[in-house]
Amino acid sequence: MTSTALDAFIAQASARSGRQPDPADCVLALAPLMLELIDHAGSFLEPQHYRSNASGYTRNLIYDAPDASLSLYSIVWLPGQWTPVHDHGSWGVVGVVEGVLEERSYVRLSPDRGADEDIDLARGGTILLSHGAVTSFVPNPDHIHVTGVPAERPRAVSLHLYGRTMNDFNIYDVAARSRRRIKVAHNES
């Protein structure tokens, strides 16, 4: 099911992202659209977009472009659920519909030589994103972070727009100084 607000968002996001080859320009053009979309979330988010699982955060697909150039998910974070340390290999724009989402960044200390080993990371800053907040990221070369909700906070729901079909990403083992590509599942809508 779609709504006027969702259809307009997809059309504008497709047009704007297609005109912006630079990821930083792309997220700059798309962040205001996400801010507006959050205000209309009640017009298109359906019960299946709020699905959750006690074993881990849940990705619910809302839209996947036929050419794999864009994907939009609602992600549901129950208390205590976190991603692994990861990057996306894409630009992205995130908007918070409900609760407070926490993002803890990592800074790459070693040069990126394209290898999956000898990767030195240091913890960076923390951002708390409450209802209505929008954040974005670009692969420069990596936006490495962990995202989730501490156990003492209530559920959070966020919308994630990516510049590709987000069915895999790199996860990092900070102690082992390595990364590996994993497939990530989602619920179809």
Side-chain angles (χ1 to χ4, degrees):
M1 172 134 204
T2 61
S3 74
T4 303
L6 181 59
D7 291 343
F9 174 81
I10 297 299
Q12 291 179 44
S14 295
R16 290 184 187 190
S17 64
R19 289 192 302 263
Q20 304 294 339
D22 180 79
D25 290 336
C26 191
V27 298
L28 183 63
L30 296 173
L33 294 179
M34 180 61 79
L35 186 63
E36 187 176 322
L37 185 66
I38 293 167
D39 288 340
H40 298 285
S43 73
F44 66 88
L45 288 179
E46 297 182 2
Q48 68 264 26
H49 299 131
Y50 290 96
R51 286 179 286 201
S52 62
N53 187 318
S55 66
Y57 71 98
T58 306
R59 302 173 58 221
N60 301 299
L61 182 65
I62 297 171
Y63 175 77
D64 190 18
D67 66 356
S69 64
L70 290 176
S71 59
L72 177 66
Y73 299 84
S74 68
I75 301 185
V76 179
W77 314 82
L78 298 179
Q81 293 182 337
W82 293 89
T83 65
V85 177
H86 69 283
D87 70 44
H88 300 98
S90 170
W91 58 260
V93 179
V94 176
V96 179
V97 174
E98 175 187 317
V100 177
L101 187 61
E102 187 166 323
E103 177 186 10
R104 300 173 183 173
S105 65
Y106 283 79
V107 177
R108 186 182 190 110
L109 301 176
S110 56
D112 185 356
R113 295 184 180 94
D116 292 333
E117 297 180 2
D118 299 324
I119 299 170
D120 294 313
L121 300 177
R123 287 182 25 209
T126 299
I127 299 172
L128 302 177
L129 303 161
S130 61
H131 169 74
V134 172
T135 189
S136 65
F137 52 84
V138 297
N140 58 345
D142 300 315
H143 176 77
I144 303 168
H145 64 167
V146 60
T147 306
V149 175
E152 66 274 9
R153 286 203 200 115
R155 172 181 91 165
V157 179
S158 49
L159 298 175
H160 297 242
L161 178 70
Y162 301 107
R164 67 182 185 93
T165 297
M166 190 54 61
N167 55 10
D168 61 0
F169 54 71
N170 289 320
I171 62 169
Y172 293 77
D173 183 326
V174 177
R177 302 174 59 222
S178 64
R179 72 177 173 200
R180 64 185 170 90
R181 196 96 176 150
I182 64 164
K183 295 282 185 193
V184 289
H186 64 261
N187 293 318
E188 295 290 333
S189 293

